[in-house]
Amino acid sequence: MKSILASGPLALLVAAPVATPALAQTPPTRDPAQIQAGTYAVDPGHTQVGWRVSHMGFSNYAGGFSDVSGTLELQPKNPASAKLSVKIPVASVTTTSAKLTDELKGDQWLDAAKFPDMTFVSTKVAPEGKDRAKVTGNLTLHGVTKPVTLDVTLVGAGVNPLSKKVTVGFEATGTLKRSEFGVKTYVPLIGDELHLTIAGAFEKQD
């Protein structure tokens, strides 16, 4: 006797390959010449601002910020003309400790109630090779504005296969001294140098 699975409709179900949706995607480019010129806006869902500071010399403690907004003006044929402006809500700060997160928002640290936003506005873009640049700008934190330079690397550019939007992404790193911005609590027990790592995604505006 033949198995009931060997013939009939059930056999078709068993034999048929499982259909899964495919996303056609052209691999992102790292060639600046292929990036579309125009105005881009921060994709807040895929942009992360991470920070790291020495914790009493025992560990490098990390946290982050979210809900970033801002714009990027790009002219790939003239990369030095790029302009960047971003805003980061200070109250979005987060750590792995709920108690510490609340403390950082308070007036002994970032004072999110009085200084709700951290901003960065570029003043100079100095290309370094094909896909890197040093971006200098005015960083405003805790009511203090000082110049900060970020080392920026192009990660990739192209059409997002899900959103269908032209997207460009960069990674940026930089260091600042928090005491220079008036955030002096526990210096030097808690490190003065604040290391920033930014994963920035930007979507082209129509």
Side-chain angles (χ1 to χ4, degrees), residues 100-186:
L100 177 57
T101 296
D102 286 341
E103 288 181 2
L104 291 178
K105 296 177 186 180
D107 59 9
Q108 295 301 305
W109 290 89
L110 298 175
D111 201 351
K114 186 175 181 180
F115 308 108
D117 296 314
M118 173 168 43
T119 61
F120 179 85
V121 179
S122 66
T123 55
K124 180 181 179 182
V125 175
E128 293 193 332
K130 186 176 180 180
D131 56 5
R132 298 174 185 271
K134 285 191 179 294
V135 180
T136 300
N138 291 320
L139 177 71
T140 300
L141 170 65
H142 203 251
V144 178
T145 301
K146 287 186 172 294
V148 170
T149 297
L150 302 175
D151 292 308
V152 179
T153 302
L154 171 65
V155 175
V159 177
N160 184 315
L162 293 177
S163 68
K164 309 303 181 185
K165 294 182 178 180
V166 175
T167 302
V168 61
F170 298 90
E171 181 173 274
T173 59
T175 302
L176 59 90
K177 288 191 174 183
R178 61 186 180 92
S179 63
E180 294 181 351
F181 292 84
V183 185
K184 302 178 180 179
T185 304
Y186 296 146

Side-chain angles (χ1 to χ4, degrees), residues 39-109:
T39 299
Y40 290 73
V42 171
D43 173 4
H46 297 96
T47 294
Q48 299 171 310
V49 178
W51 54 265
R52 187 180 78 253
V53 66
S54 172
H55 183 258
M56 302 184 187
F58 297 123
S59 64
N60 293 316
Y61 195 84
F65 294 95
S66 58
D67 299 324
V68 183
S69 61
T71 58
L72 172 65
E73 299 283 346
L74 279 181
Q75 295 293 335
K77 293 183 179 180
N78 183 16
S81 69
K83 296 180 181 180
L84 173 66
S85 177
V86 296
K87 181 170 69 173
I88 304 167
V90 171
S92 71
V93 67
T94 185
T95 71
T96 52
S97 165
K99 181 176 183 293
L100 177 57
T101 296
D102 286 341
E103 288 181 2
L104 291 178
K105 296 177 186 180
D107 59 9
Q108 295 301 305
W109 290 89

